[in-house]
Structure formats: structure tokens, C-alpha cells
Amino acid sequence: MHHSVLSPILAVLLCGFAVAAAAQPAAPALTNAEGTLRFALQLRDGAAAYTVERLAGATATPVLELSPLGLTRTDADFATGLTFVSASEVCAVEDEYTLVAGKRRHVRSRGVERTFTLRNATGMTLAITVRAYHDGVAFRYGMPGAGSQLLRLSGEATGFNLPDDARVWAQPYSKVGVWAPGYEADYVDGAPAGTAAPAEQGWALPLLFHSGATWALITESALEPTYFASHLQPQVPGGLYRVRLPEAEETYGVAPQEAAFTQPWVSPWRVVVVGSTPGAISDSTLITDLARPSELADTSWIKPGVASWSWWSDMSSPADYAKLVPFVDAAAKLRWPYSLIDLGWHQMQGGGDIRRLAEYAAKKNVGLLVWYNSAGRHNQVPDAGPRDVMNDPLLRDAEFARIAALGIKGIKVDFMQSDKQFVIALYHDILRDAARHRLVVNFHGATIPRGWNRTYPHLLTMEAVRGGEQYWDKTFAEQAHTLHTIYAFTRNAVGPMDYTPTVFTDPGVSNPGLQPHLTTNAHELALLVVFQSGIQHVIDSAASLVRQPAFVQDYLTALPTAWDDTRCLAGAPGELAVFARRSGSNWYVAGINGRVSPQTIRVPLAFLGAGTFALSLITDGAKPDAFAHVARGASAGETLEIVLSGRGGFAARLVPTGQ
């Protein structure tokens, strides 16, 4: 499998033609329009490298120290023997776009762009295009030209050299196994830069770090079928994190480790989001700013929302019609648009099949989402189905036509389990076929988002997180409150995250072997706003959901999953996360405590603007499984003082008076 995709212009570029440099300037560089961030290119002894600095007047503070650049093809070396050829004019990059579901609906981004052209020892050219925005910098490689010759890219020299004092939040990349890699390892919490990964597979993206007054996050965007998804090497000498290819063992020999393509070609963007607070990282839209525009002319059929989900509380339920009906009923009662029917639904018994269930759900105004195994031979999960459909273009298209005719609204595709180019192409193929049949998409056992939710707006969520389904692990249950605050500033900062939140009952009651959650019920409720996902799959049982207090059910009924605006109000990974999100004129504010001890927080309501609001505030009750509730008026001039229990949280809804 090979592809040649030269991404189209992502935005309006306002500049002249490239101009050749008579001689190499002292430091070819690009500074953002605000004068606060600078990317500088250097060539030393034929090797290319770069730095990223924050600027404040005459003061320059390193974000990344001198870090290597370069690529290696099987037929050519673009990492050594390089000489400088030219630097283009600086172009203004202006872009406006709409996200069906994301941190904010209408996005306007402004940046600058410059391309540096290098030549290798045999005369071949390598372009490095750099962009600088107010909240970060990004660069990607390009190989111009045209032709049908298949080229193979076997290595990447790119690295990210962190300052000596940096602390890091990152996730180990998983060893290949039946369920891995799926980006489900636990994040390290503030490890010193240079800490080696616990295993030879290295570190996964994204990587968040803190140095002095700077927070920064490293990740990728605009990953096309022309490349693999990258992670980072296990050894980090002096804090230098180098790009690592997918593991050779991935896909069990079905696909090669290297990438294959024809020219012209561009790599994904290597992205460094930069800010003064963790909230500046989580609020950034830089990953979607850099992604290709939407491929869909009509997005009116794409409906974000909340879903009930039976599998977690009863893993046998997808094959039992009678067990699924209460989850459809719960979704209908709470006015949720979806119920997810997980693995095994194709063998449904108990009084009905998927056709009958879809008909029943349609009468309740609930749409069904159905699960598929992505395999193929590229994963080894043989006993979970339906399988051997998503990997075959003809079977996949026929299946999408069949389920769309039944009224099915979307698919969950599981066990992708590789970052090789072969599987990256499969993501794109599934998304394009699903769009033709108007099916929304959720990927599980998957890689992290890389801007695809802009290009394919019906991609409403992806897993790539150790989520709520992991409560069979006692260690996870003990650490979940801390991990939640880390996810808010790492994994969820790069795109929608299907954590599958919100359990109020002891899960072991309905599903023996699962651990009780140690977080409070208010913490669990808050996750629906703290975490961003175009579909929120609620893991609690149907019986538990419909017996919650009326004010909790009212909150769940009103809850949107697509946001017009997002603002992190406070927090730091491992400590606290407080977010305000707006849908229309209504605001939702939620926070979670990453500590086992209580903390009192102050939440200014200045973001509300003019007017008065009806406030519904749900906080921790006297016991972890109890809620407290206050309903009163509120305005922008006040500050809420909220006591969070250990592992606690709060959730608030503010509606303009008169609505």
C-alpha cells in the first residue's frame, strides 16, 4: 500500500514568491506575529537542527534547546551532508473554520509561515516548512517533485531537546500484544526530563512538559496515509526525545515498518504548543488549525451527544435484546440521542435482533451505534465480532449500506492497535466510507487524534486513553482521580477523548470483578464537562442512571457535547482541573480534585458577561456517593467558593435568566 498526498493549502497564505538566499544567513528563523515565539534553524557540519524560544523584549527563554532535524530514505540521506539553499518570504496564514464538535465551534487562527530549502550531498532537496502562531510552532518536511517511483522512508532524525529543569507528563508506548498498542498505559506524573521509558518501546505522544514559566506539549497533526504515526525513543540522553517509528512487530507481519510514498510528499506537522499555564495548552486549537479542512460539504447529519452503554455494567448484554432495551429506555428518558451496542451484537438473542432493536429505538427517538473489530490479520483478537469486515473495502461498503438502511447512526471500530502506515490508511478509508453512508465514527484500541476531527467532522471521538472501562484494575481505581487531571492537559488537549466516564454505583454489583470507584459521585458527574468528546458514552447502568436525584437527571438531560467555547479556569496535571464550556448562551462549569485530601477552590464567573443567570450547582455531599445541590441566581461579578472532597468534584449549569 502506498500513497502520494501533498496536502492542499490549509489556509489563505498572504506572501510573495520564495527568494533564494545569496548566502546562508546567520540564523534562518521565523518569529510569530506577536513577537513572542521564535523558531530558528541551524546547520552544523551538514546536520540540520532547530531551537524554539519564548521572547519577552530582549529576553529569550528556551522552550526547546538545539534539536535535530532530518529524514532517511532507503535510497537517500536527508539527515547528513545538508547545505542551505533558500528561505522563502514570511507569509501570513489566515484561517477560519467550523468544528461540528470540539473545544470551540467557530475557530479563527492567525499565524506566519516560512519554508527553508536544504540540499543533500547528492543534490536532492528537502523542504522544511515552519509555522508560528501565538500559541505554538509547527514544522513539517516536504519532498517536492513528481513521479511514480515508490520511495521508502526508513528513519527520522527529528528530536525535541527539553531544558534541563523540565518535568514531563507522558505515557509509555505499549509493547505489542493482544490488546496493544492502544495508548492505554498510565502517564508518568512530572518525571524529570531525560527519564528513560520503562521499556524499549519508548514514549508515546503527546508529551507535556513544564520548565520555568513555560508549559509546552509535543504532538503531531495532519497525519495522512503517506506516513506512519510516530512515538519517541526510550533513551532520552540529556533530555533529547527523538522520534521513533512504529514497532516492527505491529500488525504481526502484515505491513512494513517504514513508510512508502511517491512525490510530491509532505510529512505530518510536528507540533509544539506553548503557553504560560497548563490551561493555555488545553485551550489551544493548534492541532486542528494545522489539519486539512473538512472533506464534507454537508455536516447537518452529524449529531454530537450523550450515549448510554450496556457493555461495561454487563458484558453479556450486547447479545441479549432484553438486556439492551433498558439502556435504550434510559437514553430516551434522559433525551440522549444514542445507545451504544458493543461487541457480540451480531449474535443477539433474547427476543430480538439488531433490526428489531433499531426499530424499537427509533420509536423512542434514540439512535444506535454498533461495534466492529477492525481485523483483518493485523490484530489477534479473533473471538470478538463482528470482524473481518472493516478491513475489506467491498465488505465494508456493503455493511455500511446495510446498517444505514436499518437506521443505525454510527460505528465503533476497535482494535486498530498499530501506528504503521497500513493502519493509518485504514483509518482514512473507514472514515471516507462511513461519511458516504452518513455514519458517525468512534475509534477504540486506537492512536491519538491528529487533527482528523477537522478533516472528517463525523469522527466524533477516539479512545487512546486508559479509560473508565479499566475499573477491573485495582491500581487504576486507586489512581483514577489523579489520572483524570493529567488527561485534561495531555491526551484530551490534542482532541476528543472517549474516556467513557461517569459511574455512580459500585460496578462490582452488576459486573463482578470490577473495582468500586473511589472518586466521589460529583467527580464522576464533572467528567462529562472536564473531558471533551463529541459522544460521551456514559458507563453507568441504566437502573442507576434513572434513579439519580432529579437535579442530576436534569443536568444529564440538558448536557451538550459540542461546545461554542472552552476555557480552562484553573488547574495543573495531578492536582486540579476546572473547565468552563459554553453551548449557545448556556455555560457548563466543572472541576475535579486530583488529590486525596480536600481543597477549597474559588471560581470567578467573569466569563459569563452581562446579565443574570440561573445557577444549578452540584457538589460533593456528606458521603462520596451523595450529592449536594444549590439552585440560585448568579452573575459575572461573583466568585463561587467550592469545597472539593478528596477525589471530589463539582458540576454547574448557568442559564441566562428568562430562558
Side-chain angles (χ1 to χ4, degrees):
M1 181 182 296
H2 68 278
H3 300 261
S4 177
V5 174
L6 184 61
S7 294
I9 297 297
L10 306 186
V12 177
L13 301 181
L14 305 177
C15 59
F17 295 101
V19 292
Q24 180 180 347
L30 179 66
T31 302
N32 66 0
E34 296 78 10
T36 57
L37 281 174
R38 178 171 61 206
F39 175 104
L41 178 70
Q42 295 188 28
L43 257 69
R44 294 183 178 179
D45 300 323
Y50 70 102
T51 58
V52 177
E53 297 172 311
R54 295 184 79 189
L55 308 176
T59 303
T61 303
V63 176
L64 294 176
E65 308 277 5
L66 195 65
S67 304
L69 294 165
L71 302 169
T72 305
R73 287 193 334 222
T74 53
D75 67 324
D77 182 1
F78 295 94
T80 63
L82 300 174
T83 55
F84 185 83
V85 177
S86 66
S88 73
E89 291 183 2
V90 175
C91 309
V93 182
E94 299 183 358
D95 201 3
E96 294 188 24
Y97 59 95
T98 299
L99 293 175
V100 172
K103 299 175 186 180
R104 53 189 54 88
R105 192 177 310 273
H106 301 292
V107 183
R108 181 182 180 188
S109 72
R110 297 290 182 270
V112 291
E113 177 180 297
R114 196 176 196 191
T115 297
F116 304 105
T117 301
L118 310 178
R119 181 177 290 120
N120 73 359
T122 61
M124 299 179 179
T125 57
L126 176 70
I128 302 175
T129 299
V130 182
R131 287 191 180 174
Y133 296 80
H134 75 94
D135 55 351
V137 299
F139 61 91
R140 69 177 177 187
Y141 302 103
M143 294 182 182
S148 58
Q149 181 183 0
L150 187 62
L151 306 171
R152 297 189 180 276
L153 198 144
S154 55
E156 184 169 336
T158 309
F160 308 91
N161 193 1
L162 275 54
D164 292 340
D165 67 340
R167 291 188 301 133
V168 171
W169 288 261
Q171 180 187 62
Y173 194 79
S174 297
K175 181 180 180 180
V176 174
V178 173
W179 316 107
Y183 290 77
E184 293 182 329
D186 290 335
Y187 278 76
V188 297
D189 186 5
T195 301
E200 63 181 358
Q201 291 76 29
W203 295 105
L205 295 174
L207 180 146
L208 175 73
F209 68 93
H210 179 213
S211 170
T214 298
W215 289 84
L217 180 140
I218 298 166
T219 190
E220 296 180 323
S221 181
L223 175 61
E224 301 292 343
T226 54
Y227 212 52
F228 43 72
S230 305
H231 57 289
L232 302 170
Q233 295 285 0
Q235 298 302 318
V236 192
L240 175 59
Y241 293 76
R242 286 183 178 267
V243 164
R244 181 177 176 92
L245 276 62
E247 301 304 298
E249 297 82 8
E250 293 177 25
T251 70
Y252 303 98
V254 169
Q257 186 180 27
E258 70 272 9
F261 56 88
T262 56
Q263 290 175 278
W265 171 87
V266 291
S267 76
W269 291 101
R270 305 281 175 245
V271 187
V272 186
V273 186
V274 182
S276 298
T277 65
I281 305 302
S282 58
D283 287 355
S284 172
T285 59
L286 192 54
I287 286 82
T288 48
D289 294 348
L290 292 159
R292 278 196 298 115
S294 172
E295 291 193 357
L296 308 187
D298 176 17
T299 60
S300 62
W301 56 275
I302 305 170
K303 307 296 184 186
V306 185
S308 62
W309 183 35
S310 70
W311 177 86
W312 183 81
S313 57
D314 184 350
M315 294 181 187
S316 68
S317 60
D320 190 329
Y321 177 90
K323 289 182 175 181
L324 293 170
V325 166
F327 286 87
V328 173
D329 291 345
K333 183 177 190 297
L334 296 167
R335 297 205 293 273
W336 292 347
Y338 297 119
S339 188
L340 170 62
I341 315 302
D342 219 280
L343 66 91
W345 62 266
H346 63 306
Q347 299 171 330
M348 193 183 302
Q349 299 179 15
D353 58 11
I354 193 65
R355 178 186 295 276
R356 183 178 174 192
L357 188 67
E359 291 172 351
Y360 178 83
K363 293 176 183 177
K364 297 274 188 171
N365 202 30
V366 174
L368 299 186
L369 312 170
V370 294
W371 183 99
Y372 289 90
N373 188 330
S374 75
R377 294 181 295 116
H378 65 270
N379 81 38
Q380 294 187 355
V381 192
D383 57 344
R387 60 166 288 140
D388 299 318
V389 175
M390 290 298 107
N391 59 298
D392 184 294
L394 294 178
L395 294 178
R396 180 174 63 235
D397 190 67
E399 179 70 356
F400 286 171
R402 182 183 78 88
I403 63 173
L406 294 176
I408 303 299
K409 301 302 182 183
I411 57 171
K412 172 182 176 179
V413 184
D414 210 342
F415 309 138
M416 303 300 287
Q417 292 176 211
S418 173
D419 278 352
K420 286 184 176 179
Q421 182 185 15
F422 173 88
V423 177
I424 300 306
L426 181 59
Y427 283 108
H428 287 262
D429 291 343
I430 290 171
L431 285 164
R432 287 181 172 132
D433 286 350
R436 287 204 322 279
H437 295 281
R438 297 196 162 194
L439 298 168
V440 299
V441 178
N442 168 20
F443 286 118
H444 259 233
T447 195
I448 60 170
R450 287 173 163 85
W452 294 338
N453 54 307
R454 177 182 177 188
T455 309
Y456 307 103
H458 59 303
L459 174 59
L460 290 180
T461 194
M462 300 177 73
E463 188 186 27
V465 67
R466 189 163 168 77
E469 68 180 62
Q470 300 289 338
Y471 270 109
W472 48 73
D473 182 342
K474 184 173 185 291
T475 301
F476 172 81
E478 292 170 346
Q479 297 176 348
H481 60 290
T482 299
L483 290 172
H484 293 164
T485 61
I486 294 173
Y487 295 161
F489 302 107
T490 53
R491 164 61 184 84
N492 210 187
V494 303
M497 180 177 76
D498 192 26
Y499 174 85
T500 61
T502 309
V503 55
F504 299 130
T505 52
D506 176 357
V509 171
S510 56
N511 192 345
L514 290 176
Q515 300 291 319
H517 68 98
L518 303 178
T519 51
T520 69
N521 278 10
H523 180 117
E524 290 293 313
L525 185 65
L527 295 179
L528 289 163
V529 169
V530 171
F531 293 159
Q532 186 273 313
S533 177
I535 300 178
Q536 291 283 21
H537 295 96
V538 174
I539 60 176
D540 207 6
S541 68
S544 172
L545 289 169
V546 299
R547 68 169 176 255
Q548 295 305 311
F551 58 83
V552 172
Q553 291 193 46
D554 289 345
Y555 186 88
L556 291 172
T557 296
L559 186 71
T561 63
W563 305 106
D564 291 295
D565 196 9
T566 289
R567 303 182 190 184
C568 178
L569 302 181
E575 298 290 329
L576 175 73
V578 181
F579 284 80
R581 302 189 195 269
R582 179 175 62 82
S583 174
S585 55
N586 300 336
W587 283 93
Y588 293 76
V589 187
I592 54 173
N593 187 359
R595 304 174 184 171
V596 296
S597 57
Q599 55 178 314
T600 300
I601 63 171
R602 293 172 61 81
V603 183
L605 299 181
F607 57 85
L608 290 176
T612 58
F613 290 74
L615 167 67
S616 175
L617 174 62
I618 304 171
T619 57
D620 293 313
K623 299 185 297 182
D625 63 350
F627 298 101
H629 180 241
V630 173
R632 63 172 177 83
S635 64
E638 65 178 289
T639 296
L640 300 179
E641 185 171 289
I642 300 172
V643 178
L644 301 178
S645 300
R647 299 187 172 97
F650 78 94
R653 181 173 183 245
L654 294 121
V655 179
T657 302
Q659 284 196 205

